[in-house]
Structures are given as C-alpha cells and as structure tokens.
Amino acid sequence: MRRFLDGMYSAAEFLAAVSLVGVLLTVLLSIFSRLLTFHISGLDAYAGYFLAAVGFFALASTLRNGEHIRVTILLNVLAKQGKRKLDIGALFAGTLIAGTLAYFSAKLAFDSYMFNDISTSNDATPLWIPQLTMAAGNILFLIAFLDTLVGRIRGESMSSNS
C-alpha cells in the first residue's frame, strides 16, 4: 500500500511539473504571437488553468514531504507526547478541511459538467475539464492527509518537521 500511495504522490508531482511546463509554453506562445502580430485566443485562460493544476497537483506530495508551512512555536515548547497530540489534532483538522475541499471541488466540476458551463473567455472551454485538476489534486490532498494522520497515530514522525 505504501508503494501505491507514494506512486500516486509521485505521479501528482509529475503532473504538477508537466503543468508548469504548460504555463511556460502558453506564456511563451502568447509573447511570440504578439511579437509576430498574430493572436491565439484563450492562451491567457490556458495559462491560468495550467497554473491552477500546478498548485493543486503539488499539494499532496508537499504535505507528505513535510514542506507545508507549520507554526512550530508551540510545538517547540511541548514535551514529546504533547507534540504528538498537537500534531494529531492538527492533522485531524487538516483532514476535515481537505475533505471539505475535495468534496466541493469535485461537486463544482460535476455541476459544471451537468450544466455545460463554459469559460467566459474567447476559448469557451468546458469548465469541468480544468476543474478536474482541482478536484483530483484536492482528493489526493485528502488521501495524503489521511495517510499522514494514520501514520502519526501509529507513531511515525512527520517527514522533516519532527
């Protein structure tokens, strides 16, 4: 199971990197098209879609690598057992928040699909397509929170913050 979950986190990291290249390519194409006096409609929107995908696909692996911002002032003054309890409480709260984000982002993508919602920019992209990256990233973020919470309850330390 550990290998499967780590593979999912790695795949999401890869998709974030590919999306970052997508941002670069759309921005460069937009710049060069202006310099060469032709216009490709929708490039700004696609750069935005790629940028959102970068952020959402990177959430899970960032959490699992212990790279999310943590306020450690209180953690540093607590004894080991108090630190563990506070970590578990924070991970539980984070899991609830991630679950809410996952649910509502998936609902948003589904509703956009059901109502045939399209982008208001020139490209008229069906919005459920870019919203899928948000939903997938948030669902993976929820899984990463659950994974980290269960590991912490079992006594594992946080990746780089213990």
Side-chain angles (χ1 to χ4, degrees):
M1 182 64 139
R2 172 85 274 135
R3 203 174 343 180
F4 174 74
L5 289 172
D6 288 342
M8 278 194 335
Y9 305 142
S10 293
E13 280 179 297
F14 176 77
L15 290 173
V18 168
S19 298
L20 193 57
V21 171
V23 172
L24 173 68
L25 293 176
T26 53
V27 169
L28 286 175
L29 188 55
S30 178
I31 291 168
F32 287 123
S33 69
R34 271 186 245 132
L35 288 173
L36 300 173
T37 65
F38 68 92
H39 178 69
I40 302 173
S41 63
L43 283 178
D44 294 342
Y46 285 108
Y49 301 152
F50 280 126
L51 190 58
V54 170
F56 286 107
F57 282 137
L59 285 172
S61 62
T62 304
L63 175 70
R64 289 298 299 162
N65 290 324
E67 299 298 329
H68 275 256
I69 296 171
R70 296 180 65 191
V71 179
T72 57
I73 294 171
L74 185 57
L75 281 175
N76 290 337
V77 298
L78 291 176
K80 188 175 183 178
Q81 191 60 19
K83 239 183 228 191
R84 185 174 177 274
K85 287 179 182 178
L86 187 59
D87 259 350
I88 290 171
L91 287 168
F92 183 75
T95 301
L96 292 177
I97 293 167
T100 303
L101 287 170
Y103 172 78
F104 283 106
S105 60
K107 184 178 180 332
L108 177 66
F110 181 73
D111 288 348
S112 291
Y113 175 77
M114 293 304 293
F115 295 117
N116 296 316
D117 200 9
I118 60 169
S119 169
T120 56
S121 65
N122 293 341
D123 64 317
T125 301
L127 284 178
W128 65 269
I129 296 170
Q131 289 169 352
L132 275 180
T133 63
M134 180 176 66
N138 279 324
I139 290 167
L140 201 54
F141 192 42
L142 171 61
I143 292 168
F145 256 112
L146 286 169
D147 182 16
T148 307
L149 175 62
V150 168
R152 192 67 173 126
I153 289 170
R154 288 180 161 171
E156 298 170 11
S157 64
M158 293 291 287
S159 293
S160 67
N161 290 325
S162 284

